[in-house]
Amino acid sequence: MHHTRRVSPIRSPRSTHARTRAVLLIVLVALVASVFSTTIAYETVRNDGRVPDKLALSLLNSSFWFGWAALALPLSLLSARWRIDRRPRVAIPILVASALIAGAVHIGLQSAVQSALYVRSAFAKGADAEALDMFVTRLRMVLPMQLTQLVDWELLAGMGIIALAHAVFFRREAQNRAVSEANLETRLIEAQLKTLQQQLHPHFLFNTLHAVSALMHRDVEAANRVLVRLSDLLRMSLDSGSQKEWRLSRELEFLDKYLQIEKARFGDRLTMDFEVDADTFEAMVPALILQPLVENAIKHGVAPHSTHGHVEIRARKVDGVLELSVSDNGPGPVTADKVRYGGIGLTNIRSRLNHHFGELGRLYLDRRSDGFSAQVTLPFRI
């Protein structure tokens, strides 16, 4: 039995400044709404010929709006944790229950304020009962009446806050993508060019041609097969420059040709295996998303060692997610920093996944006692 360590993907820290602005905006909205509703209530009472109680009206309206302002923070945090667009079957019941709980808390606050104002009014009229007894008696009377509105206005207000929080999340993500669109496009082009350059690197071509030269003396047919694969590989590399996405079957075809050429170099030292679920071949993936991972597997798991090296490529569909992995039986990168952050190729993979899928596209690196693996997860799309 061996233990594995999975490294979490790098996450950007949240902006403290953005949080502060959001809190200030909520407080400002609550203040404006409190002043407006208090003014309307004051004018309504006065037009009815009664004498308005300014303090009572201010406390009632302020407790209403600032109560929801205070509850907006936990509801927003829950909305961020349980996004409806990501896991609706789990998120919707949780958020509805949260809105109901928030509504009950808000009703309790309103009932307490009303009961306190009742006690204040009673004492102003000369009541001689105990203040606490009067407060509790009034609260027991008011609270059940107020709770009848829980699935009406209160639930609507709570769900409105949750909907507004989701709208803010969507808008922020859209803005972030719009701001980084140009830079990411440039980085994607550079990543594709770098990948192409790596495949066309003179060292790679030299090793391949050297393997062909050696094969010519003992197996002309094998040498010819390597040349054909090299030609196909270079053609597919050139084609990938104009395609951001293609079918997984196309990606696997490219990897198979790449590995077959590498096998011509390493001979029996290199074996490979593809374990691909039948329902994943038509899935769309970013072009050449796995090639840097296979290249790293050979570079770190096969090339430096004289022992047998094995590379395994897997693909499966799990709950609407496409899981792709490249594993080898070598030790992998030697330092913890390289395991966590990777080189330029892995950084480009993370950038491309983030550009295409946001937080739904992830790259995990995992060093095990029997080898090293890299896993890519992304939404399953056909």
Side-chain angles (χ1 to χ4, degrees):
M1 181 175 180
H2 63 270
H3 298 280
T4 65
R5 180 171 67 88
R6 170 161 286 186
V7 180
S8 300
I10 303 171
R11 294 177 180 269
S12 301
R14 293 183 178 180
S15 171
T16 304
H17 182 60
R19 283 185 175 181
T20 303
R21 286 192 304 171
V23 171
L24 291 176
L25 179 61
I26 291 173
V27 172
L28 179 61
V29 170
L31 178 61
V32 172
S34 298
V35 172
F36 180 79
S37 60
T38 299
T39 303
I40 295 297
Y42 179 88
E43 292 297 329
T44 301
V45 172
R46 195 174 66 170
N47 290 336
D48 289 342
R50 294 175 290 163
V51 179
D53 187 339
K54 295 181 180 179
L55 179 60
L57 292 175
S58 298
L59 287 175
L60 283 171
N61 286 280
S62 297
S63 64
F64 179 88
W65 291 107
F66 279 97
W68 275 121
L71 291 167
L73 179 58
L75 287 176
S76 298
L77 292 176
L78 280 170
S79 298
R81 175 66 179 83
W82 301 101
R83 291 275 294 268
I84 293 177
D85 57 316
R86 293 175 183 170
R87 291 196 290 174
R89 293 182 181 178
V90 178
I92 291 176
I94 290 177
L95 293 178
V96 171
S98 302
L100 285 171
I101 293 172
V105 172
H106 189 257
I107 286 175
L109 173 63
Q110 287 289 99
S111 300
V113 172
Q114 290 181 23
S115 300
L117 291 173
Y118 173 81
V119 173
R120 169 181 171 272
S121 176
F123 273 100
K125 295 177 181 179
D128 57 357
E130 288 289 336
L132 182 59
D133 291 340
M134 293 178 61
F135 176 85
V136 173
T137 301
R138 185 65 180 179
L139 184 61
R140 288 177 176 175
M141 181 185 302
V142 173
L143 188 57
M145 297 173 58
Q146 294 285 351
L147 285 173
T148 60
Q149 302 178 17
L150 180 58
V151 294
D152 188 6
W153 165 252
E154 299 293 335
L155 176 60
L156 181 63
M159 293 305 298
I161 292 174
I162 291 172
L164 181 61
H166 277 76
V168 171
F169 299 151
F170 297 153
R171 182 174 182 272
R172 184 182 302 164
E173 291 173 357
Q175 286 179 334
N176 291 339
R177 291 197 182 194
V179 169
S180 61
E181 185 79 26
N183 290 334
L184 283 174
E185 285 293 335
T186 301
R187 292 177 64 184
L188 285 174
I189 293 173
E190 291 174 352
Q192 291 172 347
L193 290 175
K194 183 173 181 61
T195 301
L196 180 59
Q197 289 168 356
Q198 288 173 341
Q199 280 135 29
L200 293 175
H201 196 282
H203 184 66
F204 171 74
L205 291 176
F206 173 80
N207 288 335
T208 304
L209 294 175
H210 180 75
V212 171
S213 177
L215 285 172
M216 288 292 293
H217 297 286
R218 62 178 187 272
D219 193 339
V220 176
E221 289 298 324
N224 182 64
R225 286 195 298 271
V226 172
L227 287 175
V228 171
R229 291 191 185 103
L230 178 62
S231 175
D232 293 340
L233 185 71
L234 298 181
R235 186 181 303 108
M236 293 180 70
S237 298
L238 293 172
D239 290 342
S240 70
S242 60
Q243 299 183 49
K244 294 181 180 179
E245 291 185 304
W246 57 20
R247 302 287 182 189
L248 178 61
S249 57
R250 184 75 166 165
E251 182 83 5
L252 296 175
E253 180 186 357
F254 180 92
L255 294 178
D256 181 62
K257 295 181 185 299
Y258 180 83
L259 285 168
Q260 291 295 337
I261 290 176
E262 293 288 16
K263 186 171 177 60
R265 291 175 51 203
F266 295 103
D268 294 337
R269 285 177 53 201
L270 172 63
T271 58
M272 51 277 205
D273 187 25
F274 289 81
E275 292 187 10
V276 183
D277 289 353
D279 57 351
T280 64
F281 283 104
E282 295 302 308
M284 297 298 295
V285 298
L288 300 183
I289 195 68
L290 296 181
Q291 190 277 334
L293 301 180
V294 175
E295 182 179 353
N296 280 349
I298 294 192
K299 179 179 179 181
H300 298 290
V302 180
H305 313 288
S306 58
T307 57
H308 169 260
H310 182 72
V311 176
E312 189 173 77
I313 299 169
R314 298 178 180 176
R316 63 174 184 163
K317 176 185 177 184
V318 181
D319 296 332
V321 174
L322 180 63
E323 295 184 354
L324 308 171
S325 66
V326 177
S327 306
D328 64 77
N329 61 345
V334 295
T335 66
D337 286 344
K338 286 186 177 181
V339 171
R340 181 169 178 80
Y341 300 107
I344 295 175
L346 301 185
T347 300
N348 284 336
I349 290 177
R350 288 192 177 96
S351 298
R352 296 178 68 190
L353 290 173
N354 183 67
H355 174 66
H356 282 284
F357 313 109
E359 293 186 1
L360 300 181
R362 302 288 182 87
L363 171 63
Y364 299 97
L365 304 178
D366 188 8
R367 184 191 298 179
R368 309 186 306 267
S369 60
D370 61 344
F372 190 84
S373 71
Q375 183 184 76
V376 172
T377 62
L378 59 153
F380 185 88
R381 299 174 301 117
I382 296 180

